[in-house]
Amino acid sequence: MLTCRTHNKDTFTAQNIRKCEEYVFGMQKRLDKAVANNDTDKIRILFNILLKRSHAVKVLAVWKITYRNKGKNTAGIDGIAIPKNATREETDKIRFRLLDLINISQTPKTIRRVYIPKANGKKRPLGIPTIQDRIIQEIIRIALDPISEFHAHDNSFGFRTKRSCQDAQETLFRYLANSNRKVYVLEGDLENCFGHISHRHITNTLRFWKVPKYVVRIIKAMLKSKILENGVITDTLEGTPQGGVLSPMLSNIALTSFDWYVSELFGNVSRHGGKHTVSPMIRYADDFVILCKSKTEAKQMKEWISQYLHREIGLTLSGEKTKISHIKKGFNFLGFNFKKHPKKYNAKDLKDYKLLIRPQKEKIIGQLQSCKEVIDNNKQSTQEGLIRLLNPKIRGWGNYYQHVNSKKVFSTFDHFMWWKVYRWARRRHSNKGKKWIINKYFMKRSKGKTNYFRTESVSLYRLSEIPIQRHIKISKGKRVYNSDDTVYWDKRDRKMMYQKLYRKHHNAFKKQKGNCPQCNSLLRPEDAIHLHHVKPKHSGGTDKQSNLRLLHAECHRDVHRPTHFT
């Protein structure tokens, strides 16, 4: 049974979490500097502080796992989790108990395995550690991140701080848009990457990076954790459980040598005293593409990397998903379709072709089907209830594709949604005419002629209103924890945050100078942001700009602390 000591009631407030983040980030920057200077003693000292001595790291780890993590309500084999709809006081009691039980050297408990469906009809194995083990993994992840980032390749984008699919997409665009030499693309995918990564390769890489020996032993014990499946406990001989907090980072650590293998052995060659990239590789987790000059080179590359992956990392290429494509026929990567289209009729030379990046056809169909299911499953819902269910799905999908050639797709999607919600409304009033239904459920905005599916308080989001704008790609050589790059990251985060917000919230963002007025910290694109009414609407407040503030979700939670549920 969990027991706890007396704790400060403000330990898990947003203000204290911000202070912990600032302290931890400062320590991570010091660790980055020690790695850059190859100072083994300093690395060991900073690891000891972060893993064993720092209370701030423990508080932050508990907070991330029990509040921000999507699996906070899912228990491991011990049955401990954050209950749904629990009050703030109840969840804080659990957090304090978990805080007391942190022991970085404890033996990891057995992992519970479940299976979740994949898009292709197959099932993906998911390993669920106990919430205590997840907290310890988060502490180790915090300490390892600066080292992993220092050694990572610039063209690796998956599971990394401040990097995204859009960075990978923009990098590919820059390689392909003006190049006439890269005409073939090797699309690669690793077969069950998380399930077959070599434990020895991971631990050898960590030792090579000067990670303290006791940390390597702890990680090795985590990799060897037993698996509980259908009441049967089995040993783990390879792989890292997909579902663990540390697993994405460990997979990246294992594949970093693969990035540098391709880059150094095949990518960089001397030319006029300098270097240029012949066959660049862009990788996101276990998906990657390699750009080649010819089909022969692509086949040779496939053979070389297949041998290296099997020999060094214990992985194999997926026969189903690994293929070679010509840029004129196009290829799919991370939900985007990359294809060169002719600029004029009977274009022959590749110079007469233009690269266009669009949403992948299967992803468009999947999103339309998903929204259709929401509408069909909520035939008895209120109009406002239906809109609030659809808007997050529509806006999230639109934000993902707003940096590519999506305008036509967005317009088509809006047309489809208009007819779907119209039929939803018509079904409710089968004896009424089209004009009556439109007058009841659709309203015109002040300056437009288009009928919007909306109520007095909420409107169905339209993808065509999202501005198409280029993604702000990360500059080469920039490290998250490098003190010299702090100004660069703050400037980039402000620009990206501005792009992320609704247009009507831009004034509030500017007025706040990009900071949260509650904790006075920068609003960053990776943060969850809430709109706060200074004077609540139930007390007569309005939606005017003077009454609105943009807050971190956690700060907003503290503002409404007496009535908040987690």
Side-chain angles (χ1 to χ4, degrees):
M1 182 177 178
L2 294 177
T3 59
C4 70
R5 300 187 296 270
T6 303
H7 287 277
N8 189 332
K9 64 179 182 179
D10 296 327
T11 299
F12 293 109
T13 59
Q15 287 82 355
N16 191 54
I17 294 298
R18 290 284 173 265
K19 291 179 181 177
C20 292
E21 287 179 331
E22 289 174 7
Y23 168 80
V24 170
F25 187 60
M27 295 298 294
Q28 288 175 315
K29 288 197 288 188
R30 290 176 63 186
L31 185 53
D32 175 271
K33 186 176 180 180
V35 176
N37 295 333
N38 199 25
D39 191 339
T40 306
D41 292 336
K42 196 68 173 288
I43 292 172
R44 185 180 65 255
I45 291 170
L46 291 170
F47 256 95
N48 285 338
I49 294 173
L50 288 169
L51 264 63
K52 296 182 177 181
R53 293 163 51 188
S54 174
H55 184 70
V57 175
K58 295 177 182 178
V59 170
L60 191 59
V62 170
W63 179 251
K64 285 185 176 181
I65 298 302
T66 61
Y67 181 78
R68 295 180 185 172
N69 194 279
K70 293 181 180 180
K72 62 184 179 182
N73 305 123
T74 305
I77 62 167
D78 59 358
I80 298 173
I82 301 298
K84 293 181 179 179
N85 300 323
T87 63
R88 169 69 184 269
E89 288 71 24
E90 291 171 341
T91 52
D92 274 359
K93 284 182 181 179
I94 297 173
R95 288 173 184 134
F96 286 134
R97 293 167 185 167
L98 291 168
L99 191 59
D100 289 336
L101 288 173
I102 291 176
N103 177 10
I104 199 71
S105 300
Q106 74 180 29
T107 303
K109 296 181 176 63
T110 301
I111 295 172
R112 182 167 67 92
R113 173 167 286 174
V114 297
Y115 289 87
I116 57 174
K118 296 171 67 175
N120 59 7
K122 298 180 181 179
K123 290 187 176 182
R124 174 182 287 112
L126 197 67
I128 304 175
T130 64
I131 202 164
Q132 288 175 255
D133 286 341
R134 276 176 261 169
I135 291 169
I136 293 171
Q137 287 186 28
E138 176 62 21
I139 292 173
I140 296 174
R141 190 201 66 80
I142 289 171
L144 270 181
D145 203 33
I147 297 180
S148 177
E149 283 294 313
F150 180 86
H151 291 284
H153 195 280
D154 271 340
N155 283 355
S156 168
F157 298 97
F159 307 132
R160 292 183 61 190
T161 307
K162 295 189 181 297
R163 291 174 181 257
S164 64
C165 297
Q166 285 71 28
D167 286 300
Q169 166 261 308
E170 183 66 19
T171 301
L172 261 177
F173 172 81
R174 296 188 183 191
Y175 274 127
L176 291 169
N178 300 316
S179 174
N180 294 320
R181 293 182 294 109
K182 311 296 188 301
V183 293
Y184 283 91
V185 178
L186 171 61
E187 306 169 60
D189 184 84
L190 302 177
E191 189 76 43
N192 192 9
C193 176
F194 282 86
H196 294 307
I197 288 179
S198 166
H199 291 177
R200 179 179 294 180
H201 181 73
I202 293 174
T203 54
N204 286 344
T205 301
L206 292 172
R207 292 189 188 101
F208 181 72
W209 288 354
K210 308 293 178 62
V211 174
K213 293 180 181 179
Y214 75 91
V215 180
V216 178
R217 286 197 296 269
I218 294 171
I219 292 173
K220 188 175 181 179
M222 289 179 176
L223 291 170
K224 297 292 184 183
S225 297
K226 296 181 182 296
I227 302 291
L228 175 64
E229 182 179 354
N230 297 325
V232 179
I233 296 177
T234 57
D235 294 327
T236 303
L237 302 178
E238 60 181 4
T240 174
Q242 195 168 355
V245 177
L246 198 57
S247 295
M249 178 180 283
L250 293 179
S251 68
N252 257 349
I253 289 171
L255 291 170
T256 295
S257 65
F258 174 53
D259 297 332
W260 288 107
Y261 172 78
V262 175
S263 177
E264 294 174 3
L265 191 57
F266 308 116
N268 295 330
V269 297
S270 297
R271 174 178 282 186
H272 306 302
K275 289 188 175 182
H276 75 286
T277 303
V278 174
S279 303
M281 179 174 76
I282 292 86
R283 182 176 65 83
Y284 190 95
D286 58 345
D287 294 325
F288 62 90
V289 293
I290 301 177
L291 310 183
C292 303
K293 294 185 294 183
S294 65
K295 194 169 186 178
T296 302
E297 181 184 291
K299 289 180 178 180
Q300 183 66 70
M301 189 72 71
K302 180 180 178 181
E303 182 180 344
W304 281 331
I305 64 173
S306 178
Q307 293 173 0
Y308 177 85
L309 287 167
H310 180 72
R311 180 179 70 250
E312 300 293 336
I313 313 179
L315 298 174
T316 57
L317 291 175
S318 170
E320 177 185 351
K321 298 180 181 179
T322 302
K323 51 191 175 181
I324 298 170
S325 306
H326 194 282
I327 190 61
K328 288 183 182 179
K329 292 187 177 180
F331 65 96
N332 296 322
F333 184 59
L334 302 178
F336 301 97
N337 177 260
F338 297 77
K339 184 178 179 180
K340 285 205 171 184
H341 298 260
K343 297 179 185 178
K344 58 184 181 180
Y345 182 70
N346 284 337
K348 295 181 179 180
D349 196 287
L350 202 58
K351 293 180 180 179
D352 297 326
Y353 282 74
K354 180 180 181 180
L355 177 70
L356 294 181
I357 306 175
R358 294 169 174 165
Q360 185 179 335
K361 183 179 179 180
E362 292 78 6
K363 300 298 181 182
I364 300 171
I365 295 171
Q367 177 68 2
L368 290 172
Q369 184 63 31
S370 177
C371 290
K372 178 180 179 295
E373 289 175 0
V374 171
I375 296 171
D376 292 343
N377 293 335
N378 290 274
K379 294 177 180 178
Q380 307 303 320
S381 176
T382 63
Q383 183 183 10
E384 182 173 340
L386 179 64
I387 291 174
R388 293 194 183 280
L389 286 173
L390 288 171
N391 274 355
K393 294 177 68 68
I394 296 173
R395 180 163 175 79
W397 195 82
N399 285 344
Y400 187 84
Y401 289 107
Q402 74 174 57
H403 305 293
V404 296
N405 307 97
S406 304
K407 204 66 180 178
K408 186 176 180 180
V409 172
F410 284 178
S411 179
T412 303
F413 184 94
D414 287 342
H415 180 76
F416 171 88
M417 290 301 297
W418 194 97
W419 280 105
K420 283 302 298 181
V421 293
Y422 170 75
R423 292 190 186 103
W424 174 89
R426 188 173 181 178
R427 180 185 177 278
R428 299 165 74 90
H429 306 281
S430 56
N431 60 335
K432 299 292 184 180
K434 181 177 179 179
K435 186 175 180 180
W436 185 94
I437 292 171
I438 289 177
N439 287 337
K440 179 175 176 61
Y441 289 98
F442 295 80
M443 300 171 64
K444 292 182 180 179
R445 291 187 177 175
S446 56
K447 296 183 180 180
K449 297 182 180 180
T450 306
N451 290 306
Y452 286 74
F453 187 70
R454 62 181 301 191
T455 66
E456 292 292 341
S457 58
V458 64
S459 173
L460 184 67
Y461 195 75
R462 293 170 61 86
L463 289 181
S464 55
E465 295 182 351
I466 298 179
I468 303 299
Q469 49 196 345
R470 294 284 294 274
H471 175 73
I472 304 169
K473 180 187 173 296
I474 290 178
S475 298
K476 284 190 175 183
K478 298 296 182 182
R479 301 199 307 274
V480 177
Y481 303 107
N482 186 0
S483 299
D484 296 335
D485 296 334
T486 301
V487 174
Y488 165 81
W489 290 112
D490 286 350
K491 185 177 179 180
R492 181 177 185 267
D493 283 347
R494 288 179 190 276
K495 288 182 179 179
M496 291 187 65
M497 191 70 231
Y498 189 80
Q499 286 187 357
K500 179 182 176 182
L501 294 171
Y502 286 102
R503 287 181 178 178
K504 60 184 179 181
H505 298 153
H506 285 174
N507 287 338
F509 184 76
K510 289 179 179 179
K511 187 177 180 180
Q512 298 171 200
K513 297 182 179 179
N515 295 326
C516 171
Q518 184 72 7
C519 66
N520 203 34
S521 297
L522 187 64
L523 296 168
R524 300 186 185 275
E526 63 266 21
D527 296 332
I529 306 299
H530 284 185
L531 186 67
H532 171 62
H533 290 77
V534 178
K535 185 178 182 180
K537 297 184 77 171
H538 61 75
S539 301
T542 66
D543 288 328
K544 291 184 178 179
Q545 293 292 330
S546 58
N547 192 46
L548 301 179
R549 301 290 185 274
L550 295 170
L551 306 179
H552 291 108
E554 294 148 353
C555 294
H556 196 214
R557 160 185 177 274
D558 277 2
V559 171
H560 299 288
R561 183 170 182 174
T563 58
H564 182 81
F565 288 81
T566 59

